[in-house]
Amino acid sequence: MIPIITPAQATAWDAAAEQDGRPLRMLMESAGRAVADMVLWNCSEEAHEGVLVATGRGNNGGDGWVAARLLHRLGYPVTVVSLGDPTRDEATDARRVALADGVQQVAPDAPWPNCGVIIDAIIGGGSRGAAPNGAAAELLARIAALDLPIVAVDAPSGLDLATGAHQGAAAAAHTVTFGGLRRGHLRARDLIGDLHVTEIGLPAADQEWPVLFDLVDARAAYRPFVADAHKGTRGRVVIVGGREGMTGAARLVARAAFASGAGLVHVATDTASAIILAAAEPDVQVLCTRWDGAPEASLLALVRSADVVIVGPGLGREPGTRALIEGVIAHAKRLVLDADGLQAFAGDATALATLLVGIPTILTPHPGEFRALFPDIPLDDPWEAAHAAAMRMGQVVLLKGVPTVIASRGSTTLTVARGNPGLATGGSGDVLSGIIGALWCRHAESREAAALGAVAHGDAADRVARQMGVVGMRPMDVIGRLAEVWHELALPDTEFRDLLLYLPRPVTQ
């Protein structure tokens, strides 16, 4: 899996490479070649008009000098605009070799030749929150004014790769980075354009770093049906929710569960909602129950029969709801807790953690629900937040967002970057709960089921977006594309890959 790291961890990774006998100059050469390749693969026509390489004084600039030399040797018109002499030996050597090979250099304030594409190797991962100033700011402003496609090395200059904060950075059409993702890449998707992660010879990543869980990993994890599968072996999902006026939430969970392979889906709800559900969803089995206080015996029997119980979507927040949830929890084999199921324990995560001891659970809060349940855990870093919550609860915590982070005690934190703004609508979380519930019926590992569900949810949404855009996307559109996702995940992995990862810019309109 591909690591997701901070700038400090990236520096430590470079140091580990040096200690392992992998000189930084060698890594720089590989990185520069990757940048040059990316320009030719994605901007070949523009490169024939000329390539302008803007370099800073650090190793990011050294990568730019290598790319400039290689493109020059291939016959493309290349000009380097530099902020000054490099401050690192490796970058100094890269500049010396490029100039010796005939690469042309001009001053930032001199006239520039015509060009069709720009390589931004000015700051890269060196930005630390503050806006670029002085000569760097002037150079960035002049680049932005050209309105040409930009290929950024590591990151668009001015983007803080720790936080995703950016000031004064020109948006890139493509960003090329090396070995793994930086956290800022996943928090500034509009700015980085299409993201290309390349292999340059770094040693194995630290096993404690968070990793990306993407389509390749989902294909490896996905469990298709066996030939003699029947509704019992495909799993029984029980949904507790859909109170009167909120039946849509339960319907979306149920439809997503069926669309993700569940054999049997039940909804336990109030009488008025049960009438609606029975008429609207004939494949869903409905149990009428009361909501005010401890669960009835019929509900407890149904919960005990379930492979996975999903509690919360459309459950409401009336008095007695918490008592109902507590009773259900005590009899569940596996539990997905979402929406009103989480809100019932707002500010009382300790009590919820005690209730969940011995009951495998996946908690799926969005940021608002997370703040309500864990008011003392800051959300400025979603990886740290999800990890802290998982440690406190002793359960899997799936923190929804951009990106989605899945953490559990004693395991590597997983990250899902698929999806788009079309998912930012009511009902999307219900669909995700239904997907995860169905998957967990036949996937023993809760963290894997959660991550696989998030990837499938995001990929289905991306399929909708590519076809019709995101403005009018509805949760049912996403459910309608899940069959395609499962079909492709079940196919053998025969795709040719020349990158560790290609992550396209999300569709946003």
Side-chain angles (χ1 to χ4, degrees), residues 183-267:
R183 296 188 178 189
H185 288 142
L186 297 179
R187 305 187 73 184
R189 297 287 300 281
D190 289 328
L191 197 68
I192 65 169
D194 292 355
L195 181 63
H196 311 258
V197 183
T198 68
E199 165 58 40
I200 61 170
L202 288 160
D206 190 317
Q207 294 299 303
E208 294 187 1
W209 292 342
V211 296
L212 187 73
F213 190 95
D214 200 49
L215 293 171
V216 172
D217 311 294
R219 179 175 280 115
Y222 181 62
R223 305 285 183 270
F225 298 135
V226 295
D228 61 349
H230 55 79
K231 61 186 179 184
T233 59
R234 286 174 55 166
R236 185 189 303 269
V237 174
V238 171
I239 303 155
V240 181
R243 183 187 292 267
E244 184 177 6
M246 294 180 284
T247 55
R251 291 178 66 182
L252 288 171
V253 178
R255 289 186 176 194
F258 271 128
S260 302
L264 295 162
V265 178
H266 301 253
V267 174

Side-chain angles (χ1 to χ4, degrees), residues 4-58:
I4 300 170
I5 57 179
T6 65
Q9 289 166 338
T11 300
W13 205 3
D14 285 344
E18 194 97 72
Q19 293 170 3
D20 195 43
R22 310 176 194 216
L24 293 183
R25 183 66 182 89
M26 179 192 78
L27 300 181
M28 183 176 290
E29 187 72 18
S30 297
R33 286 181 178 275
V35 173
D37 286 343
M38 208 57 53
V39 170
L40 298 181
W41 293 340
N42 296 282
C43 307
S44 58
E45 291 186 14
E46 295 89 343
H48 280 291
E49 299 174 32
V51 182
L52 182 73
V53 185
T55 64
R57 302 181 66 194

Side-chain angles (χ1 to χ4, degrees), residues 222-358:
Y222 181 62
R223 305 285 183 270
F225 298 135
V226 295
D228 61 349
H230 55 79
K231 61 186 179 184
T233 59
R234 286 174 55 166
R236 185 189 303 269
V237 174
V238 171
I239 303 155
V240 181
R243 183 187 292 267
E244 184 177 6
M246 294 180 284
T247 55
R251 291 178 66 182
L252 288 171
V253 178
R255 289 186 176 194
F258 271 128
S260 302
L264 295 162
V265 178
H266 301 253
V267 174
T269 189
D270 60 82
T271 302
S273 296
I275 294 170
I276 296 171
L277 281 163
E281 307 290 343
D283 45 1
V284 174
Q285 299 178 61
V286 182
L287 173 70
C288 297
T289 189
R290 69 167 194 269
W291 297 119
D292 52 343
E296 297 174 309
S298 58
L299 175 56
L300 292 181
L302 179 61
V303 166
R304 285 191 290 269
S305 74
D307 294 290
V308 176
V309 181
I310 301 172
V311 177
L315 183 58
R317 305 176 190 178
E318 300 298 323
T321 300
R322 177 160 165 171
L324 174 80
I325 297 170
E326 290 174 347
V328 168
I329 288 174
H331 293 266
K333 297 173 188 170
R334 293 176 172 178
L335 180 71
V336 176
L337 199 59
D338 186 27
D340 294 330
L342 297 168
Q343 291 286 359
F345 295 90
D348 201 5
T350 300
L352 178 58
T354 301
L355 285 169
L356 294 177
V357 171

